[in-house]
Amino acid sequence: MARPPLPPFTRETAAEKVRLAEDAWNSRAPELVALAYTPDSQWRNRAEMFEGRPAIVRFLSRKWAREHEYRLIKELWSFSEARIAVRFAYEWRDEGGRWFRSYGNENWDFAGDGLMRRRIASINDQPIAESERLMRWPQGRRPDDHPGLSELGL
């Protein structure tokens, strides 16, 4: 089943793909997120490497079990016909109540049906005080009027 927008990407369709991915990740629904990837999608996330939708679901389930109050913003960095580069930041707190802002970059490679066949992510975590949080919308999709990364100075 196709997952528009489809490659080859334009600036507008690449930006739309990025926002759709952000919205899905902010749902914190691993099964929903995994549907955006090919059944044999290859991932590198920090030091973890794995393949396939079941592994994606397991990974995201673990991730969101430990990253509480997760809120993510993604921004288009660059694109070509079937690839998109993204920068992102997300905020979360751990079990002990400590807050973090995680910064990163992702490289995405898409199949012709619009499903992502490869995701390579590099991420760094920065401890922050609760008062330094910038992502304070209600859990779920980022409101359209909420600033993006560039507007927030990130």
Side-chain angles (χ1 to χ4, degrees):
M1 185 161 86
R3 186 87 173 207
L6 307 176
F9 297 114
T10 63
R11 176 162 299 284
E12 293 74 27
T13 60
E16 179 183 356
K17 197 74 155 175
V18 171
R19 181 57 194 240
L20 290 169
E22 175 188 314
D23 292 349
W25 280 65
N26 276 325
S27 76
R28 296 181 47 171
E31 294 82 8
L32 171 73
V33 172
L35 293 176
Y37 301 88
T38 61
D40 61 348
S41 184
Q42 298 174 349
W43 278 38
R44 188 190 78 211
N45 195 87
R46 300 178 192 252
E48 289 187 65
M49 290 185 260
F50 50 92
E51 183 175 317
R53 284 184 182 157
I56 292 169
V57 170
R58 287 190 302 274
F59 168 80
L60 293 173
S61 296
R62 282 192 328 268
K63 171 185 178 59
W64 290 322
R66 71 178 180 269
E67 293 179 354
H68 304 282
E69 299 189 51
Y70 176 94
R71 287 168 181 82
L72 164 73
I73 301 174
K74 291 182 182 279
E75 186 174 279
L76 176 65
W77 185 255
S78 184
F79 72 96
S80 66
E81 288 189 9
R83 292 183 173 169
I84 296 176
V86 173
R87 67 187 200 96
F88 63 88
Y90 63 91
E91 294 177 348
W92 57 283
R93 89 177 153 71
D94 67 12
E95 292 278 335
R98 293 173 296 261
W99 282 94
F100 297 86
R101 185 174 303 125
S102 299
Y103 298 93
N105 299 291
E106 294 175 325
N107 297 313
W108 300 344
D109 183 34
F110 291 89
D113 60 4
L115 295 174
M116 194 182 305
R117 61 183 162 208
R118 185 177 315 158
R119 175 186 174 269
I120 301 169
S122 299
I123 307 166
N124 299 296
D125 301 318
Q126 177 184 15
I128 61 172
E130 195 282 336
S131 61
E132 295 176 291
R133 291 180 52 216
L134 299 172
M135 303 173 196
R136 294 182 178 270
W137 65 87
Q139 198 82 58
R141 186 180 190 276
R142 175 173 56 101
D144 290 335
D145 62 349
H146 190 283
L149 294 179
S150 292
E151 293 83 10
L152 290 171
L154 298 177

